[in-house]
Amino acid sequence: PIDIASDWDAKNRLRVFKGLYCLSRRRFDEAARLLCDSLPTFAETSLMSFQECVRYAVICAALTFDRPTLLKKVIRSPEVLE
């Protein structure tokens, strides 16, 4: 479904929704990947705030990513640092 979406906003919103769904189903690896990918262009403020999305992405990434990936995608990410 992400490939079918026509614009970036719809793709990013779908990533956020799917990431939260995976988080609720305890599929932390997929949730971390989706939520971390949605951070640079986050626009889904009707569902949750940007701070909540960062919080969920950091928690899922800490559980599933290896150290180099965690450092690259989460710790040194400008979206997380702000």
Side-chain angles (χ1 to χ4, degrees), residues 5-7 11 15 19-20 24 26 31 35-36 38-39 44 46-48 50 57 60 64 66 68 70 73 75 79:
S6 62
D7 59 16
K11 288 181 184 181
R15 279 189 195 112
L20 284 180
S24 70
R26 295 187 179 122
L35 290 173
C36 286
S38 70
L39 288 179
E44 188 52 50
S46 63
L47 179 63
M48 66 179 151
F50 179 71
C60 290
T64 60
D66 58 346
L70 183 65
K73 286 193 171 186
I75 296 174
E79 294 82 22

Side-chain angles (χ1 to χ4, degrees), residues 16-28 31 35 56 60:
V16 172
F17 283 113
K18 193 170 180 183
L20 284 180
Y21 174 75
C22 290
L23 183 64
S24 70
R25 303 299 295 171
R26 295 187 179 122
R27 291 187 285 187
F28 299 119
L35 290 173
Y56 292 143
C60 290

Side-chain angles (χ1 to χ4, degrees), residues 58-69:
V58 167
I59 291 170
C60 290
L63 293 173
T64 60
F65 287 166
D66 58 346
R67 284 185 174 192
T69 307

